[in-house]
Amino acid sequence: IAPPQPVRAPGVVPLTLSVRCPRCGSPETEQLSHFGSTACKALWRCRSCSEPFDHLKAL
């Protein structure tokens, strides 16, 4: 059982915000794994400094 998905109004374009690196602040990041050190975190990596980091998932 899953909650209903939000209804989008016609003409609305979804926007994806980038995750900034906590070490260097670069927005050039990529998600490596949907699961990190805990179930509420995802594993990301910075493309600028190559540093892996955990990021809290959005609800």
Side-chain angles (χ1 to χ4, degrees), residues 3 5 9-10 13 22 25 33 36 42 45 49-50 57:
Q5 297 296 320
V13 177
S33 175
R45 178 177 58 203
C49 67
S50 299
K57 295 179 188 175

Side-chain angles (χ1 to χ4, degrees), residues 26-50:
S26 171
E28 297 295 321
T29 57
E30 62 183 343
Q31 186 176 10
L32 296 178
S33 175
H34 191 67
F35 298 102
S37 59
T38 63
C40 64
K41 295 179 182 179
L43 183 61
W44 288 72
R45 178 177 58 203
C46 178
R47 291 183 185 148
S48 296
C49 67
S50 299

Side-chain angles (χ1 to χ4, degrees), residues 5-15:
Q5 297 296 320
V7 178
R8 281 192 253 156
V12 175
V13 177
L15 178 65

